[in-house]
Amino acid sequence: MNKVVSIDAAPGSNSLAAFDVERVRRDFPILKQKVYGKSLVFLDSGASAQKPQVVIDAVRECYETYYSNVHRGAHFLSQRCTDAYEAVRADIAGFINAPSENNVVITSSVTESINLVAQTWGRKFLKAGDEVIVSEMEHHANIVPWQLLETEIGITIKVAPIDENGEFLLDSFKQLLSPKTKLVAITEVSNVLGTIVPVKEVIRLAHAAGALVLIDGAQGIVHHGVDVQDLDCDFYGFTGHKLYGPSGVGVLYGKAEVLSAMPPYQGGGDMIEKVSFSGTTFKEPPHRFEAGTPPIAQVIGLGAAIRYVSGLGMDNIAAHEQGLLAYANSRIEDLGGVRIVGQAHDKAAIISFLLDGAHPFDVAAVLDRQGVATRVGHHCAEPLMDRLGVVGTVRASFGLYNTSDDVDRLIAALGKAKDLLL
Amino acid sequence: MSIPSAQYEDYADALEMIDDEDMRFEYIIDIGKKVKDQDFPEDWRTDDHLMHGCMSRVWIIDEVKDGKHYFRGFSDAIIVKGLVAMMTGSFSGLTGDELQKIGTDHVRRLNLGALTTQRQVGMMAMLETFKKLGSAGGGTVAGLRSANA
Ligand SMILES: Cc1ncc(COP(=O)(O)O)c(C=O)c1O
């Protein structure tokens, strides 16, 4: 992945010819608005990204022209809607380079994707004493589902550590692997620190120890391209709303042989082959795991989002964001008095920070009044906060539509926070 | 009812006079900055005095003198500290019965637009805490009682 691209042009302009951020911004109607009379600087894409017009249009077009339930009706609209819906499954497969669309399970979020694995694969294949390794940087969505199994089945959760800089400690991880390790469930990118975990190496090591690997790609897939076959992960989950798509839709990729061995998740319509009171048979994956009416319009919207980011090019997006990250880091350093929490060598464009002498809630509130939207708190990663010894952080997370101008506004707002709070 | 508290009127008048939202916001910060650590000693900041359901920690204590409640509060965030100071200052010196009569409109006069919904909810929660302390005490005991009483 393209690491360091410096933005040395004047603030507000963009030196990357392949990626015209001013043109990109025009695709996002919400960014034009003012908040508290100031133009909006949206630095909270890590929580949920804004939607380009093509996504909004795709959802609207679905409802206006061909919406119908899928996989059911024997009529024109249902066929058209089913075709559009299933075409997105193929688009998703292409986007992450899955071997086939049958590897792609549609869920409601990455949270559901992870719970699905825990409740189906986990309940079938894990027994008391088996170990699941997570990292210290996990979002609660990749902790609590395993804790449920800890309580119910008696599995043990092992936690792979990070160092003070938020660097994933590969050697310590290696030492946790043992014949008892059945699954490594790990984030690709920390939603708090931005740390990019060397997942390919993690997967190789885990496989060598006989364990499967689930990647929580919620923050990974938005910042760089993903190739699940190259990674060789067994599961990969992500969530649509962080990838500039609608909320309410997520994805679980699984290897074919792993998915086929898994029992259904929820029971209901659409996941069965035949239902009778003497016995019900289930469809093959991925439909086996998709009970009930799926989030149809959201899937259509996700398809549009995937085409949109693919059109821009994930490498271009990554390069643009890396440029912003480098620029923001240097401006924050120049400003002084701000501690960046998470200084891993390989980072996505997520910056958690603390203003010395100020409470993060106060800082975020002052930034907000300057029109700069950030997130503050524990970011659904309380164990990580404990590890770092902080109650919370302010987090600026950058997306493809952010500019060096946005960074300048963040710095100016931080200056204001220093004036007001210190 | 009218609130027999000069402080309440001072705060409300000041906020009404400032016609710029950013300035109101800064006014609250200034009040927060005036609250000093020693005004609310460390050993009062116990879980017993913690108000539940706040984004940042808020401690409230209630001192009852001659049947009247005197609240003091603290938070680790300045803006919240400012709001707590305004609330405790405004609604201290009332009897339990008087406290029950304080309405949400009284509180609303103190936050005119400068605050996010979440903070407005926080201020209403503070009012509920005062009322709870007011009804639990009835002015019979002098001393400190916890916010979760
Ligand atoms: C790393 C990570 N995992 C999981 C999630 C949960 O995503 P969702 O709420 O869309 O399921 C998030 C979202 O904040 C995240 O950042």
Side-chain angles (χ1 to χ4, degrees):
Chain A
M1 174 189 149
N2 204 345
K3 266 292 296 168
V4 180
V5 180
S6 65
I7 290 188
D8 45 16
S13 73
N14 192 301
S15 56
L16 301 162
F19 190 89
D20 179 355
V21 71
E22 289 307 329
R23 207 197 60 219
V24 165
R25 286 179 71 79
R26 289 200 285 277
D27 296 335
F28 291 81
I30 205 168
L31 298 178
K32 295 188 188 91
Q33 75 182 287
K34 293 201 183 313
V35 294
Y36 311 117
K38 294 145 192 130
S39 54
L40 169 69
V41 174
F42 190 75
L43 298 180
D44 195 21
S45 301
S48 204
Q50 301 299 351
K51 320 304 173 199
Q53 191 66 51
V54 288
V55 168
I56 300 165
D57 288 347
V59 172
R60 206 196 52 232
E61 188 198 6
C62 169
Y63 282 132
E64 281 182 357
T65 62
Y66 63 91
Y67 179 79
S68 180
N69 211 329
V70 292
H71 309 137
R72 285 173 172 76
H75 57 77
F76 180 84
L77 286 189
S78 177
Q79 192 53 52
R80 201 177 147 205
C81 199
T82 303
D83 289 348
Y85 176 88
E86 287 300 330
V88 173
R89 199 191 297 274
D91 289 344
I92 295 168
F95 186 58
I96 59 174
N97 193 32
S100 137
E101 61 266 29
N102 293 332
N103 299 95
V104 174
V105 181
I106 304 291
T107 64
S108 62
S109 64
V110 67
T111 299
E112 187 181 37
S113 301
I114 298 169
N115 277 282
L116 190 161
V117 174
Q119 293 300 317
T120 60
W121 182 86
R123 279 172 176 276
K124 178 160 178 192
F125 293 104
L126 294 177
K127 52 184 192 321
D130 284 348
E131 294 178 358
V132 171
I133 299 178
V134 300
S135 85
E136 247 171 353
M137 292 181 285
E138 298 313 314
H139 187 282
H140 295 163
N142 196 27
I143 298 175
V144 185
W146 310 114
Q147 287 180 322
L148 294 176
L149 293 186
E150 195 174 33
T151 314
E152 289 166 20
I153 301 178
I155 64 162
T156 303
I157 298 172
K158 296 273 176 184
V159 185
I162 55 170
D163 70 11
E164 294 302 319
N165 290 326
E167 203 80 68
F168 182 74
L169 297 170
L170 204 55
D171 280 339
S172 311
F173 165 73
K174 234 185 269 181
Q175 278 156 28
L176 291 178
L177 288 165
S178 81
K180 285 191 193 154
T181 314
K182 291 296 175 319
L183 180 76
V184 176
I186 192 160
T187 192
E188 189 173 23
V189 168
S190 160
N191 65 316
V192 179
L193 307 175
T195 306
I196 298 174
V197 176
V199 283
K200 197 166 172 185
E201 187 61 7
V202 165
I203 293 163
R204 195 185 62 75
L205 291 165
H207 283 171
L212 299 194
V213 181
L214 175 148
I215 303 294
D216 173 355
Q219 300 288 345
I221 200 162
V222 301
H223 294 293
H224 53 71
V226 169
D227 180 336
V228 290
Q229 293 191 75
D230 178 55
L231 286 176
D232 197 29
C233 54
D234 302 280
F235 300 106
Y236 187 98
F238 67 94
T239 212
H241 65 95
K242 293 186 204 274
L243 190 61
Y244 309 97
S247 55
V249 56
V251 168
L252 174 68
Y253 157 84
K255 278 185 181 166
E257 63 274 21
V258 182
L259 289 180
S260 317
M262 281 157 51
Y265 176 43
Q266 294 175 326
D270 230 22
M271 50 77 75
I272 47 83
E273 213 165 53
K274 182 177 180 335
V275 176
S276 83
F277 286 108
S278 57
T280 289
T281 52
F282 308 113
K283 282 188 180 155
E284 290 299 310
H287 298 286
R288 182 189 299 169
F289 306 106
E290 298 174 2
T293 297
I296 298 166
Q298 289 85 342
V299 168
I300 302 293
L302 177 58
I306 285 176
R307 282 190 298 280
Y308 181 77
V309 293
S310 302
L312 292 175
M314 289 312 293
D315 287 348
N316 294 330
I317 293 170
H320 171 69
E321 292 181 354
Q322 286 296 321
L324 289 174
L325 176 66
Y327 181 59
N329 276 333
S330 74
R331 295 269 350 236
I332 289 173
E333 201 172 309
D334 290 346
L335 180 71
V338 176
R339 176 157 78 90
I340 295 178
V341 181
Q343 306 257 26
H345 189 68
D346 246 353
K347 270 187 69 168
I350 295 171
I351 303 179
S352 262
F353 60 87
L354 294 166
L355 178 60
D356 293 339
H359 194 284
F361 283 113
D362 288 328
V363 177
V366 175
L367 297 185
D368 176 47
R369 291 236 46 115
Q370 306 305 307
V372 179
T374 57
R375 183 169 175 191
V376 62
H378 56 57
H379 313 293
C380 299
E382 287 187 52
L384 177 60
M385 298 294 115
D386 291 344
R387 163 68 180 85
L388 299 168
V390 296
V391 290
T393 66
V394 184
R395 180 186 73 181
S397 52
F398 295 85
L400 54 84
Y401 35 61
N402 289 120
T403 62
S404 48
D405 224 7
D406 290 341
V407 174
D408 294 339
R409 288 276 308 278
L410 168 68
I411 298 301
L414 275 169
K416 179 91 178 171
K418 286 172 98 171
D419 287 348
L420 286 179
L421 299 171
L422 302 184
Chain B
M1 87 170 213
S2 66
I3 297 167
S5 148
Q7 276 229 44
Y8 173 77
E9 290 303 328
D10 284 352
Y11 286 135
D13 288 350
L15 283 163
E16 269 155 29
M17 256 163 54
I18 307 170
D19 61 359
D20 178 87
E21 276 188 19
D22 283 338
M23 298 298 286
R24 267 187 222 127
F25 180 72
E26 291 175 24
Y27 174 77
I28 296 166
I29 290 178
D30 281 339
I31 296 174
K33 283 169 91 167
K34 289 195 191 107
V35 179
K36 297 293 168 221
D37 271 19
Q38 58 268 28
D39 299 342
F40 200 96
E42 191 81 45
D43 55 349
W44 290 359
R45 293 174 220 166
T46 61
D47 285 354
D48 275 3
H49 299 146
L50 256 186
M51 229 178 87
H52 289 304
C54 295
M55 284 211 304
S56 41
R57 291 184 296 175
V58 174
W59 294 271
I60 302 281
I61 57 164
D62 172 21
E63 205 168 350
V64 186
K65 269 188 273 181
D66 301 331
K68 291 179 176 167
H69 293 261
Y70 295 86
F71 300 109
R72 270 179 285 180
F74 197 77
S75 170
D76 36 19
I78 288 177
I79 295 167
V80 181
K81 223 184 270 183
L83 297 174
V84 170
M86 282 170 53
M87 290 292 289
T88 52
S90 292
F91 302 119
S92 280
L94 305 180
T95 65
D97 285 346
E98 285 170 332
L99 277 170
Q100 304 315 313
K101 293 188 191 123
I102 310 259
T104 50
D105 283 348
H106 289 112
V107 177
R108 236 168 254 137
R109 262 190 89 197
L110 294 179
N111 61 37
L112 296 165
L115 302 174
T116 60
T117 325
Q118 213 163 7
R119 291 200 199 282
Q120 301 194 21
V121 169
M123 289 178 82
M124 296 306 169
M126 245 181 278
L127 173 64
E128 286 312 310
T129 300
F130 294 167
K131 289 184 168 193
K132 215 159 74 180
L133 289 166
S135 68
T140 51
V141 211
L144 306 180
R145 262 200 320 276
S146 90
N148 303 320

